[in-house]
């Protein structure tokens, strides 16, 4: 029986390597579609939680995970020898930057090498981890063909970029359109067949993995550049005494040719701050300088430092200095109403503020504590009036919707709102916007 026959009859066994923000929701959707699914992860804690039906990802419904685990459709393991039982394996592991701001694809490489001993004919392998164009064909294909199997004939290999927007109430893994590109046309068709059997969304086929890899980079570089543009304009507008927020709202009134992006203390999340670095790194291999992309990265990377300077000036205007001041941060998550703090600009701004000798505390009900530089930082348990009043400056760094901003305005001495979270507050005497 071919892999496509197994997908149609739902007798295929599906695997997911990496049970994080991308992998666990994908594994859950595979199981909910009726496929026996095996999740692989090197972290035993995650494996044990999945096997106990305990959810740790915001975009997964707790009851869904519990039901599919109890039914036997989803299980997790640290034992990669069980890859031998899988007909399709999706690799969803992290692709961070190293200390030199270059792509670290060691997790992808080690995952591929762990799969090789257990490969078999009619097997589909799909890389979903964001990476630079060429990874699937130049790195993974030779690794997998070291098994003695030939790509496009004995096994199928494709790239299909993850599209995960944590906290999005409309688009989840199941209903977000999927792009896929295989090494050969048959690889593309097999990968498309797999996604069509589990998702309720269109599958967009492209001619190669490199196109799909570049497509993903384009998505997030587009956002990085536009955020860089409004961040730079925010700095200019402040000098000119103009509200960038009012400017953007006015521009939004145009029904065509404009999409609103907003300034902030920096760019967070896994993809937007990192993807442009993948592309600029790869571009250097071709002697090409991505000047526009790198300029936007420089603007966005500087925003925490700029916000620290603004905070200092706000205090200075009231005869205070950052040194020895108590600064209350509202929000650590990189975007509103989620607990994801990866690459959060709020944390970078905290570091900048602390360098000046200020005492930093924070409140974020979504992130009660977080790890930074190997240390755990714990937030305030409650956002009390006493806590607000005790701060010399309150900095709003995440626009969570479960915060009573009117109470904050009434009790705060000074407020620096970097997200326009307090736009509906009428009394603005103690509020300064980014």
């Amino acid at each position: 029986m071919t892999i496509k026959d197994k997908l149609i009859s739902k007798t295929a066994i599906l695997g997911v390597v990496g049970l994080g923000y991308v992998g666990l929701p994908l594994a859950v959707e595979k199981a909910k579609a009726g496929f026996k699914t095996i999740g692989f992860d090197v972290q035993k804690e995650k494996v044990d939680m999945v096997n106990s039906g305990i959810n740790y990802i915001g975009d997964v419904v707790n009851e869904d995970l519990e039901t599919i685990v109890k039914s036997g459709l989803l299980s997790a393991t640290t034992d990669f020898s069980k890859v031998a039982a899988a007909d399709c394996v999706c690799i969803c592991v992290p692709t961070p930057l190293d200390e030199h701001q270059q792509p670290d694809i060691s997790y992808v490489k080690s995952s591929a090498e762990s799969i090789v001993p257990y490969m078999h004919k009619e097997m589909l392998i799909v890389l979903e981890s964001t990476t630079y164009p060429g990874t699937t064909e130049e790195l993974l294909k030779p690794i997998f063909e070291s098994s003695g199997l030939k790509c496009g004939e004995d096994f199928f290999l494709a790239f299909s970029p993850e599209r995960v927007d944590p906290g999005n109430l409309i688009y989840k893994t199941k209903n977000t359109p999927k792009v896929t590109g295989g090494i050969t046309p048959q690889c593309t068709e097999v990968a498309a067949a797999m996604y069509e059997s589990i998702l309720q969304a269109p599958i967009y086929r492209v001619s190669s993995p490199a196109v799909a890899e570049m497509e993903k980079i384009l998505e997030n570089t587009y956002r990085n550049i536009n955020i860089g543009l409004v961040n730079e304009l925010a700095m200019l507008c402040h000098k000119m005494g103009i509200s960038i927020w009012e400017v953007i709202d006015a521009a939004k009134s145009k029904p065509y040719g404009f999409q609103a992006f907003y300034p902030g203390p920096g760019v967070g999340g896994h993809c937007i701050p990192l993807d442009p670095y993948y592309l600029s790194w790869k571009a250097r291999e071709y002697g090409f300088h991505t000047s526009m992309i790198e300029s936007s990265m420089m603007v966005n990377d500087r925003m925490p430092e700029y916000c620290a300077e603004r905070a200092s000036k706000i205090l200075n205007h009231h005869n205070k200095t950052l040194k020895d001041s108590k600064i209350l941060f509202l929000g650590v998550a990189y975007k509103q109403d989620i607990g994801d703090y990866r690459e959060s600009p709020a944390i970078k701004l905290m570091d900048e503020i602390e360098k000046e000798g200020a005492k930093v505390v924070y409140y974020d009900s979504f992130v009660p504590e977080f790890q930074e530089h190997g240390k755990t930082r714990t937030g305030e348990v409650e956002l009390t009036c006493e806590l607000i009043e005790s701060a010399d400056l309150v900095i709003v760094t995440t626009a969570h919707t479960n915060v009573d901003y009117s109470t904050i305005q009434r009790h705060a001495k000074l407020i620096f709102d970097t997200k326009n979270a307090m736009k509906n507050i009428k009394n603005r005497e103690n509020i300064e916007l980014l």
Side-chain angles (χ1 to χ4, degrees):
M1 184 180 290
T2 68
I3 179 62
K4 291 186 77 170
D5 291 335
K6 288 184 177 181
L7 288 167
I8 293 169
S9 63
K10 296 202 171 182
T11 56
I13 297 176
L14 310 185
V16 176
V17 177
L19 297 175
Y21 287 91
V22 176
L24 184 60
L26 180 61
V28 167
E29 291 303 332
K30 288 181 174 184
K32 284 173 62 179
F35 290 97
K36 183 176 180 181
T37 305
I38 306 171
F40 299 88
D41 204 288
V42 295
Q43 297 183 39
K44 189 175 184 299
E45 298 86 348
K46 286 184 179 179
V47 166
D48 290 343
M49 289 180 74
V50 170
N51 288 332
S52 299
I54 301 172
N55 180 34
Y56 51 87
I57 298 294
D59 282 357
V60 172
V61 177
N62 297 346
E63 292 77 12
D64 286 349
L65 180 62
E66 187 176 356
T67 298
I68 56 180
V69 169
K70 283 184 178 179
S71 68
L73 284 172
L74 177 63
S75 62
T77 182
T78 58
D79 182 3
F80 272 75
S81 69
K82 293 186 178 180
V83 167
D87 298 292
C88 306
V89 178
C90 291
I91 301 174
C92 306
V93 295
T95 47
L97 297 174
D98 64 18
E99 58 184 6
H100 303 296
Q101 301 296 298
Q102 295 182 349
D104 176 4
I105 53 173
S106 59
Y107 298 105
V108 172
K109 186 172 184 287
S110 62
S111 297
E113 290 170 344
S114 297
I115 291 169
V116 168
Y118 310 106
M119 288 178 63
H120 54 80
K121 288 190 174 183
E122 286 293 312
M123 188 178 200
L124 168 67
I125 303 170
V126 182
L127 176 63
E128 289 213 3
S129 305
T130 302
T131 185
Y132 58 84
T135 302
T136 305
E137 191 153 13
E138 296 166 11
L139 174 72
L140 294 189
K141 182 172 175 280
I143 291 175
F144 291 132
E145 287 192 330
S146 71
S147 66
L149 300 174
K150 186 170 178 57
C151 183
E153 295 180 11
D154 301 317
F155 74 96
F156 308 100
L157 177 61
F159 180 81
S160 181
E162 56 90 357
R163 281 176 165 171
V164 175
D165 185 17
N168 193 314
L169 300 179
I170 299 174
Y171 289 105
K172 305 287 186 181
T173 299
K174 190 175 187 67
N175 65 340
T176 299
K178 207 83 167 74
V179 172
T180 187
I183 298 289
T184 67
Q186 182 66 2
C187 290
T188 301
E189 288 307 313
V190 173
M194 189 264 291
Y195 287 116
E196 285 171 341
S197 68
I198 62 174
L199 303 180
Q200 293 179 351
I203 311 302
Y204 191 92
R205 296 158 173 82
V206 295
S207 60
S208 68
V211 171
E213 289 159 343
M214 181 63 91
E215 179 279 324
K216 173 61 174 176
I217 297 288
L218 172 61
E219 288 181 27
N220 290 315
T221 300
Y222 167 81
R223 294 173 70 183
N224 190 294
I225 288 174
N226 281 282
I227 293 169
L229 171 63
V230 294
N231 276 334
E232 189 164 63
L233 287 178
M235 291 186 274
L236 174 61
C237 283
H238 175 65
K239 286 183 176 292
M240 299 176 70
I242 298 170
S243 168
I244 183 64
W245 305 95
E246 188 176 356
V247 170
I248 295 170
D249 283 345
K252 279 187 349 186
S253 67
K254 185 179 181 182
Y256 55 87
F258 181 82
Q259 180 180 356
F261 288 82
Y262 297 94
V267 180
H270 171 65
C271 289
I272 299 176
L274 306 186
D275 288 8
Y277 283 100
Y278 300 143
L279 188 56
S280 61
W281 175 83
K282 188 66 175 177
R284 288 195 291 273
E285 183 179 312
Y286 295 86
F288 190 87
H289 182 60
T290 53
S291 55
M292 181 182 293
I293 296 171
E294 290 172 29
S295 294
S296 71
M297 289 154 54
M298 289 171 61
V299 172
N300 292 332
D301 288 347
R302 186 180 175 272
M303 287 307 291
E305 181 183 349
Y306 170 76
C307 288
E309 293 169 1
R310 286 282 302 276
S312 178
K313 288 180 180 179
I314 292 169
L315 288 167
N316 290 163
H317 290 159
H318 292 82
N319 300 315
K320 289 180 177 291
T321 62
L322 267 178
K323 183 176 173 59
D324 299 325
S325 288
K326 181 178 180 180
I327 312 298
L328 170 60
F329 279 72
L330 294 184
V332 164
Y334 83 86
K335 64 182 288 190
Q336 69 181 47
D337 299 342
I338 65 170
D340 191 345
Y341 59 88
R342 291 175 295 172
E343 301 296 324
S344 173
I347 297 173
K348 297 170 187 175
L349 179 53
M350 284 182 182
D351 291 341
E352 292 291 333
I353 294 288
E354 285 184 325
K355 286 178 187 176
E356 300 302 319
K359 179 186 178 184
V360 168
V361 295
Y362 85 89
Y363 173 79
D364 190 327
S365 61
F366 293 90
V367 188
E369 67 176 30
F370 65 90
Q371 297 284 331
E372 180 196 18
H373 308 313
K375 296 181 181 179
T376 300
R377 191 193 288 262
T378 304
E380 299 295 319
V381 176
E382 288 185 77
L383 186 59
T384 62
C385 296
E386 291 76 17
L387 174 63
I388 299 167
E389 291 168 354
S390 71
D392 295 295
L393 175 65
V394 175
I395 305 181
V396 182
T397 40
T398 312
H400 289 317
T401 58
N402 65 348
V403 174
D404 184 351
Y405 292 106
S406 60
T407 297
I408 292 163
Q409 187 277 322
R410 289 196 305 271
H411 291 277
K413 297 182 182 76
L414 299 168
I415 301 166
F416 181 29
D417 185 357
T418 71
K419 300 296 290 183
N420 201 21
M422 307 182 77
K423 60 185 176 183
N424 295 323
I425 302 297
K426 292 183 179 179
N427 185 355
R428 309 190 65 81
E429 293 178 358
N430 57 345
I431 302 172
E432 181 163 329
L433 275 173
L434 175 65

